[in-house]
Amino acid sequence: MFPASRYSVQAQRCIRALKTVQAEHAPPQHYMWRRNCSSAVMPRITSHYTIFPRDKDPRWEGVEMARFADEADVVIVGGGPAGLSAAIRLKQLAKEQEKELRVCLVEKASQIGAHTLSGACLEPSALNELFPDWKERGAPLNTPVTEDLFSILTEKYRIPVPMLPGLPMNNHGNYIVRLGHFVHWLGEQAEELGVEIYPGYAAAEVLFHEDGSVKGIATNDVGIAKDGSPKDVFERGMELHAKVTLFGEGCHGHLAKQLYRQFNLRENCEPQTYAIGLKELWLIDEKKWRPGRVEHSVGWPLNRNTYGGSFLYHLNEGEPLVALGFVVGLDYTNPYLSPFREFQRWKHHPFVAKTLEGGNRIAYGARALNEGGYQCLPKVTFPGGMLIGCSPGFMNVPKIKGTHTAMKSGMLAAEAIFPKVTAEDPASETAGLHIPEYEDNLKKSWIWKELYAVRNIRPSFHNYFGLYGGMVYTGVFYWILRGKEPWTLKHAGLDSAQLKPAKECTPIEYPKPDGKLSFDLLSSVALSGTNHEGDQPPHLTLKDDSIPVANNLAIYDGPEQRFCPAGVYEYVPLETGEGMRLQINAQNCVHCKTCDIKDPSQNINWVVPEGSGGPAYNGL
């Protein structure tokens, strides 16, 4: 994708600098679910340089650590809807005003769209603004919504709920899309406008000027062995400097976490709250296919106090495809809950099973999503940079949509940036430009109005009646008052603090997968196309290797074994038979970030692996 021959000379020079000497990759493989420990001594789990600095490691003495640096006007981290919309809008403005503007975008996936996962039912408002002629340009919006179904599920029955006009989940005028394909198309539009796109290169570090403002980013080093030592093919990443750097990493970006601390961006907002979304793509019997139908449900198999629900979308892409998924709020309390197994169990409901029976599952993936909304929005501007898209959390939770708001945030950022970066005298007090106009424009936009109106719907579920109390609140205060109530409800707090000790909870007995509708975890991960270079430090780092056994296993019965949707974490016995140790199967990681969010000890820190590693989604 994006062949070098179509780039500018500058881009080709940058690609040559980025190109690394790589060892031969082993074929894709996944760790066995159970492996015997090779030593009675508990091995060190974490070897990443972010935990064990290289300047204190004698194995790194004499290794050349200089990095090549390149300059751009704007650098964008993340090739999702927000980052690409920002890049496109910047180049549109440059073309309109006949200005030279260099925009570079880095994306950790091997191809644009390969790490993108969403339902997805797209509201085209931002797309209409960005490309009014998107139909003529061939945007892959092939399935207009024709039918909207909403249900409350009990174990065996379905209670239909009327989808009244004005309710958040009414999808009239929207399109069912495969978001990875849509993002790929956005990448093509950006390339045509002259945006320099570098897939396969992960932004690993934020760079700062001496005055503390953001200078740019550095891509990740390659050629580091699993034990943290340099290989013979070790090469440093490169630095990309810019007047302004946009961070559009998606939900719970690892660089955004650093920026929150560095600039105290969450000082005046609540902690973000999240959910995990799991998704599959199926080919079904054509007789059951209803192109354009959108189905949502709440209720079974979750109890009334666990926030979540499902979707099942009938695509119109030339074959009888359906996209289905299950979302579980990460503020759940029972450590025995497994979002993956709840998803598998849901497919056996009679209303769902009748669509899937006789079909064939062809893809699987998972991703965390922001659910905090208005109350959890951080400050999004700081000297030298901005946060855009799902990184700060512009998702409209009741709508189950964030693509339109992510795109609009990127466009607003671009419109605030352009006059500053093209001015002869930008009048900035810092080396990296500080552009507070972006946040001002956000608060005047339809994003702010939309998120404010639905601000109380998600936290309204924190009541004795749970789901049902929240639905009543939505009907009264949103459908009638449109969010104009003179109060703002609060969320429960950090998702990591919500788990109860295992001794206070009842273990959940999940049925065995039947291999027809429900499946085991590792065969599911195999359908994600996930692979990482095996001989590299695990990118799931632990601040303290002793905490998982001493705290998570002892108190919560090892919840990371269950909340991870990819089988990355497992507790295995020590060879002596006395005690357990945590094993991290980093090759399986689908980059969902759930572990970093839900870990009750907040001991896991997700960082980027070598570029191109991770899932290889095809239109999820």
Side-chain angles (χ1 to χ4, degrees):
M1 183 181 177
F2 306 113
S5 61
R6 297 173 64 184
Y7 283 131
S8 65
V9 174
Q10 283 181 313
Q12 292 181 33
R13 176 166 58 86
C14 199
I15 286 176
R16 286 196 295 271
L18 283 164
K19 186 172 178 60
T20 58
V21 179
Q22 297 184 357
E24 287 186 23
H25 287 265
Q29 59 180 328
H30 302 286
Y31 284 92
M32 297 298 292
W33 185 248
R34 290 288 175 192
R35 289 179 50 169
N36 292 325
C37 180
S38 60
S39 170
V41 178
M42 188 179 294
R44 191 170 83 177
I45 302 171
T46 302
S47 56
H48 201 274
Y49 70 88
T50 56
I51 304 297
F52 297 99
R54 292 182 288 209
D55 58 0
K56 298 179 181 178
D57 187 339
R59 298 174 298 176
W60 286 87
E61 288 181 6
V63 175
E64 176 58 54
M65 300 299 282
R67 288 190 288 217
F68 174 85
D70 201 2
E71 298 275 348
D73 293 300
V74 180
V75 166
I76 300 172
V77 178
L84 287 166
S85 296
I88 288 167
R89 188 70 189 119
L90 281 166
K91 295 299 281 188
Q92 286 176 335
L93 291 167
K95 185 177 180 180
E96 289 168 9
Q97 300 188 28
E98 299 181 344
K99 298 281 183 93
E100 286 294 324
L101 189 72
R102 188 178 181 205
V103 180
C104 295
L105 183 149
V106 295
E107 163 57 40
K108 62 184 175 67
S110 59
Q111 296 186 26
I112 295 296
H115 286 181
T116 300
L117 183 147
S118 182
C121 198
L122 176 69
E123 183 176 314
S125 50
L127 178 61
N128 289 334
E129 295 180 26
L130 188 63
F131 288 119
D133 60 343
W134 57 264
K135 290 183 181 180
E136 291 76 13
R137 289 172 173 267
L141 276 65
N142 305 315
T143 312
V145 174
T146 59
E147 187 179 3
D148 234 334
L149 301 180
F150 189 81
S151 311
I152 299 173
L153 301 183
T154 65
E155 187 171 355
K156 295 182 179 180
Y157 300 103
R158 168 187 177 252
I159 303 169
V161 177
M163 188 58 62
L164 301 174
L167 285 174
M169 292 179 68
N170 186 298
N171 282 290
H172 178 75
N174 296 334
Y175 292 81
I176 304 169
V177 300
R178 297 173 69 175
L179 194 63
H181 289 171
F182 176 67
V183 167
H184 185 98
W185 176 82
L186 282 177
E188 293 173 339
Q189 307 310 302
E191 181 191 23
E192 287 179 12
L193 286 164
V195 177
E196 299 173 24
I197 299 177
Y198 303 107
Y201 297 98
E205 181 183 345
V206 182
L207 305 175
F208 297 94
H209 289 286
E210 289 184 3
D211 63 5
S213 60
V214 171
K215 186 178 185 179
I217 57 94
T219 63
N220 59 329
D221 298 341
V222 296
I224 304 174
K226 193 169 186 176
D227 65 0
S229 63
K231 299 179 188 178
D232 292 339
V233 294
F234 169 77
E235 283 200 17
R236 286 284 263 164
M238 73 164 294
E239 297 186 2
L240 282 171
H241 302 166
K243 299 171 184 176
V244 182
T245 304
L246 299 184
F247 296 86
E249 305 165 278
C251 176
H252 207 64
H254 86 290
L255 296 184
K257 289 198 308 176
Q258 299 173 35
L259 294 167
Y260 292 144
R261 294 190 295 268
Q262 181 77 16
F263 296 105
N264 201 17
L265 301 178
R266 289 202 167 276
E267 180 181 16
N268 297 313
C269 69
E270 290 186 42
Q272 185 62 262
T273 185
Y274 302 87
I276 179 173
L278 305 104
K279 182 180 177 181
E280 294 176 352
L281 201 62
W282 282 62
L283 275 170
I284 62 167
D285 185 338
E286 194 163 353
K287 295 175 183 176
K288 304 174 182 179
W289 184 37
R290 302 290 182 270
R293 175 184 280 186
V294 166
E295 303 176 21
H296 292 103
S297 75
V298 294
W300 189 88
L302 301 177
N303 63 35
R304 72 174 191 272
N305 295 119
T306 302
Y307 186 86
S310 72
F311 64 87
L312 198 157
Y313 301 155
H314 293 247
L315 289 148
N316 187 15
E317 307 223 343
E319 53 185 348
L321 280 172
V322 294
L324 58 145
F326 202 78
V327 176
V328 179
L330 289 178
D331 55 354
Y332 67 83
T333 59
N334 188 341
Y336 292 110
L337 187 147
S338 165
F340 172 81
R341 298 186 75 174
E342 296 290 348
F343 177 30
Q344 300 306 308
R345 181 160 63 165
W346 164 78
K347 289 184 288 179
H348 285 275
H349 190 279
F351 184 67
V352 181
K354 67 180 183 181
T355 299
L356 302 180
E357 285 168 349
N360 181 34
R361 185 179 69 148
I362 61 174
Y364 166 81
R367 186 69 170 96
L369 51 147
N370 302 289
E371 288 205 332
Y374 176 82
Q375 293 91 320
C376 301
L377 290 176
K379 184 176 174 59
V380 294
T381 63
F382 42 90
M386 300 176 176
L387 300 174
I388 58 175
C390 290
S391 183
F394 292 120
M395 179 173 168
N396 183 324
V397 178
K399 279 188 177 182
I400 324 178
K401 292 174 183 60
T403 303
H404 66 302
T405 51
M407 291 178 67
K408 180 63 174 178
S409 72
M411 294 157 63
L412 289 170
E415 288 162 1
I417 288 169
F418 182 77
K420 298 287 186 179
V421 297
T422 56
E424 292 185 11
D425 181 11
S428 176
E429 295 181 0
T430 53
L433 298 182
H434 186 203
I435 308 176
E437 290 85 351
Y438 164 51
E439 187 156 333
D440 296 337
N441 293 343
L442 265 174
K443 292 178 179 179
K444 297 172 186 174
S445 74
W446 54 256
I447 294 179
W448 212 259
K449 180 180 179 181
E450 185 175 309
L451 294 184
Y452 183 80
V454 300
R455 70 195 183 283
N456 286 330
I457 294 179
R458 175 65 175 92
S460 73
F461 282 73
H462 294 295
N463 66 83
Y464 175 79
F465 299 102
L467 164 69
Y468 308 108
M471 291 182 70
V472 169
Y473 186 97
T474 301
V476 174
F477 290 104
Y478 181 78
W479 192 62
I480 296 175
L481 297 179
R482 291 292 186 268
K484 294 179 181 177
E485 61 268 34
W487 58 79
T488 297
L489 302 178
K490 291 189 175 183
H491 295 284
L494 286 169
D495 293 334
S496 57
Q498 303 309 310
L499 284 182
K500 295 178 180 177
K503 65 182 181 181
E504 298 178 17
C505 300
T506 303
I508 301 173
E509 295 295 329
Y510 290 104
K512 281 188 66 176
D514 66 358
K516 297 176 182 179
L517 296 180
S518 53
F519 303 90
D520 67 89
L521 189 55
L522 291 189
S523 68
S524 300
V525 176
L527 288 177
S528 71
T530 297
N531 186 50
H532 297 84
E533 163 60 44
D535 189 17
Q536 64 174 308
H539 62 282
L540 298 313
T541 69
L542 303 179
K543 299 170 189 174
D544 185 335
D545 283 357
S546 69
I547 283 179
V549 170
N551 192 70
N552 289 14
L553 184 62
I555 299 174
Y556 303 101
D557 199 28
E560 54 269 70
Q561 300 177 104
R562 292 176 285 275
F563 60 58
C564 173
V568 170
Y569 301 94
E570 57 178 324
Y571 286 92
V572 298
L574 291 167
E575 194 173 74
T576 60
E578 299 177 0
M580 306 287 282
R581 67 176 178 88
L582 179 67
Q583 178 168 289
I584 296 180
N585 306 319
Q587 269 192 313
N588 290 7
C589 178
V590 294
H591 297 201
C592 73
K593 315 291 182 66
T594 302
C595 57
D596 194 310
I597 295 164
K598 189 61 177 173
D599 175 18
S601 304
Q602 283 299 279
N603 187 47
I604 298 171
N605 185 45
W606 192 99
V607 297
V608 289
E610 288 191 3
S612 298
Y617 298 141
N618 178 16
L620 278 186

